[in-house]
Every structure is written in C-alpha cells, then in structure tokens.
Amino acid sequence: MADLFATHETTAPPEELPEGAPLADRLRPRKLEDVVGQEHLTGPEGAIGRMVAAGRLSSIIFWGPPGTGKTTISRLLADAVGLRFVAISAVFSGVADLKKVFAEAKEHARIGRKTLLFVDEIHRFNRAQQDGFLPFVENGTVTLVGATTENPSFELNAALLSRAQVLILHRLDAAALDRLLQRAEELEGRPLPLDEAARAALIASADGDGRFLLNQAETLFSVNLPAPLDPAGLSALLQRRVAVYDKDREGHYNIISALHKSIRGSDPQAALYYLARMLTAGEEPLYVLRRLTRAAVEDIGLADPNALVQCIAAKDTYDFLGSPEGELAIAQACLYLATAPKSNAVYTAQKAAWRSAKETGSLMPPDNILNAPTKLMKDIGYGKDYAYDHDAEDGFSGANYWPDELPAQSFYTPTERGMEKRIAERMAWWDQMRRQRRGE
C-alpha cells in the first residue's frame, strides 16, 4: 500500500512504456506543444509559454476539471526548465510524507538540483497542512505546482494563494477531444469502429475529460465488431458518463445561478436546460423549488403574482407525486417564471423598507391610527379622528399613516410591466386623491 502515497520522482521524460500500458499513458504528451486544448496557457503568449521561455517558474495552482492535463503539464514543465519532479497526492499523503519531501528537496538543493513539487488534489489538505508549505515555497526549497478541481478562492488559504499564480485549465472542447481520438487511431494503426454520428456522440459523452475519452476509446479498440457502431450501438456498449455535479461544491452553485439568471433574463429554453442539468444529476427537487420560489418573489413579484402561486402549486404537486412524475410540475413552474413579465420592485421595496425601519428605531405611529382598547388610551388621544376608509367617498380617506417625525416615504415603485402597470395606475390615483383631500 505504500505506493499509494509514495512520492514519484523523475528528472527526465518517461521511458518507453510496456506494451500493455493504458492508452492514455501511451498517448501522454512528451512536449508542452503536444498538449491539446490548453493553448491559452502553453502557447508562446500564454503564462506557461512565457515561463518556459524565461527558464524560470513561479509557484502555480492549476484549477480545472478532471482530465484536462494538469498532471501532464506539471511534469512537462519540470522537464522544460530542468527541475527535479516530485509528485504527491493530498488524498493519500500526510504530514510525515510532506516532511520527507521537504527534507529531500533541501538535500537536492544543496547540490544545485531544485525541485518542482506537484501536489494533486491540493484542496484536500486542511488549512494547517497548507500553511506548512509556506516556508518552503518562500525560501525556494520547492517550486509548488498544485492541482485542484475546486475553486481555489474557497478551498485554499489566502496566504498560499498570494504566493502562487492561479492558472485556469479549460474543459477540452470537441476539436481538442477529436485530436486526441486521431492520435489514438494513429497509435493503434486503425480507425475507431464508429460511424460519424457515433464518433460525435462519444466526444460529447466525455464532457471535456480527455482521460475519460481515451479510456472509452481503448474499450472500443479492444472489441471485435463486424461493423462500425451507430450512436445507439455505442450507448449499448459503453457505460454512460454521469455529469460532473457536486451538490456541495462550486458546480452546484454555478448551475443554480445559471438557472436563476436565465429565468430573470426571460430565456425559457436556457432555464429548462439548467433545470434539467440539476435534476438529472440528482439534485434534491425541493431545493430547486425553493430557488424557483425565490425567483418568483425577487424577479417577478407583483408583475405577475401567479408566479408565486405556480411555485407553491409545483411544490405541493411534487410532494403528492414524487419523482419522476412530479418533476413535470417543476418544469411547468420554471417555464412560467421564465416567460412571466419581470419586476424586482417588490425586492427593491423590501430592502429599502427594512433599511428605513432599522434607521428610524421606535417611532410611534400617529395617534389617529393607534389602537385604543381602554378608556385611558382613548382619553389621551389614541385613535382620535381616525378616518374609516370604507365610510369615505370612493373607499379612500387620504389620511396620514406615517409617524409625525417621519415624512412619507416611497419604497415601492411599480414598473409598467404586467399587473404592476395597473397597480401603478391605482397608486397614482391614490396619490392624487390624497393631495386633493389635504388641499395640496
């Protein structure tokens, strides 16, 4: 079991691999220019290209999805600038392993061999362990290259981030993935047993992960097929890839943000897509319903009060039917919100009113609208001259309801969209009548 967390050291490109080595290992690039899909970093004008041209590396944090080349680029970087390469995984390594790595790096530094320390899944180290890197990075004992699939802003110490450059690796696009397949076919000396549509489906199924794609290609090369597969045959042969979606990680918040903003932007097609992304990945439907309800009151409000009704009805329907039948009600609510007229007037008004309430403290309402359940309260003026609106002409008295020390405020300004247009008309009429009855 020691090999699971042992350090791996190289000082030169890897030797020829045995014949039975996995396809992904046999296709591993030997030069930075062979890395596909990350030209924004490895090209002459990219951060990595400039570092290699200068012959000097700073500490780096590679942030990107799985299978995009973080480990490969790190190894090639060490080779390009003549550094000793040591790799550890935060999943299997502990404090003792780190101490050993740093001690060995010091010894090599004494004889002029500097070390590039590659730490895979660096976000798995806790805050104290991350702090342990700082002195060795600062004094040059190691050049740290960390790899993470999680947002470094959330997962890594600020002190460590301040000493490293964060470089973002992109998920591989279709063109980059197709280049990987072409290299695999050249290495194997034969084409993949797929028709054009199945090849496109295979690339799409990789979801930007080059390692996954090559593993699937290796499976296809290993079977004897009488004819090229179509998409249905490919799906039957290969296990379906599950979309990357961690419920407690950044992907979760990115997709729910995209759903909410698509609704706000009145794009029902995009909203339905992101809803599907969440529910097919196993997101809790009631969480989605809570966010839809929030969108109903924040971004639609009184422009269409039925938006809130739709969300609550969808929640009740899902409670009654469960999955998958109840998910249709969630989709209906999502589409209703996306196609409804939009207004954040209620949201803006609520924030303004809450702010005013905190600033004005304990101001008493005017005496005319104070409750007067006892004779004493009536004697001191509570409720005096209260105008009962239902007895007034047009059902509107125009009385003052604001504390004497506080001028009338305006928090809610309805838009000209949806039902709020009618509300705005009523409010304008009340304002006019109020001025008239006060003789203004």
Side-chain angles (χ1 to χ4, degrees), residues 64-256:
T68 52
K70 295 184 288 293
T71 305
T72 295
I73 293 175
S74 300
R75 187 183 296 275
L76 294 176
L77 267 176
D79 295 337
V81 297
L83 294 182
R84 169 177 170 263
F85 179 84
V86 175
I88 63 172
S89 169
V91 176
F92 301 112
S93 301
V95 173
D97 303 297
L98 290 175
K99 288 181 177 179
K100 179 181 177 183
V101 167
F102 295 138
E104 291 177 349
K106 282 183 179 180
E107 291 300 318
H108 283 280
R110 289 194 182 98
I111 59 174
R113 296 179 65 203
K114 294 188 176 181
T115 299
L116 185 153
L117 174 60
F118 174 71
V119 183
D120 198 18
E121 304 284 344
I122 191 171
H123 62 278
R124 300 294 187 101
F125 279 131
N126 62 38
R127 301 286 176 172
Q129 289 171 319
Q130 291 178 30
D131 283 340
F133 287 97
L134 298 178
F136 302 100
V137 171
E138 288 176 341
N139 65 22
T141 300
V142 298
T143 297
L144 174 66
V145 178
T148 178
T149 57
E150 302 299 331
N151 190 326
S153 299
F154 303 143
E155 303 296 336
L156 298 183
N157 284 0
L160 188 58
L161 281 178
S162 70
R163 292 160 174 82
Q165 184 175 0
V166 176
L167 300 181
I168 300 173
L169 278 74
H170 297 161
R171 65 190 298 278
L172 302 186
D173 61 18
L177 292 170
D178 190 58
R179 288 202 298 275
L180 287 181
L181 289 184
Q182 291 174 22
R183 291 180 183 179
E185 290 170 326
E186 291 172 3
L187 183 67
E188 293 290 328
R190 55 196 169 107
L192 282 164
L194 304 172
D195 65 19
E196 186 175 343
R199 187 185 185 93
L202 177 65
I203 289 172
S205 74
D207 195 23
D209 186 334
R211 182 169 51 245
F212 175 86
L213 180 73
L214 291 176
N215 288 341
Q216 296 291 69
E218 186 166 27
T219 299
L220 289 167
F221 280 129
S222 69
V223 295
N224 294 319
L225 298 171
L229 296 173
D230 60 11
L234 176 69
S235 179
L237 178 64
L238 299 180
Q239 183 178 1
R240 176 180 173 271
R241 178 179 176 82
V242 177
V244 176
Y245 182 84
D246 293 323
K247 293 185 185 179
D248 63 342
R249 300 288 182 177
E250 191 194 15
H252 161 86
Y253 297 105
N254 284 342
I255 299 300
I256 195 62

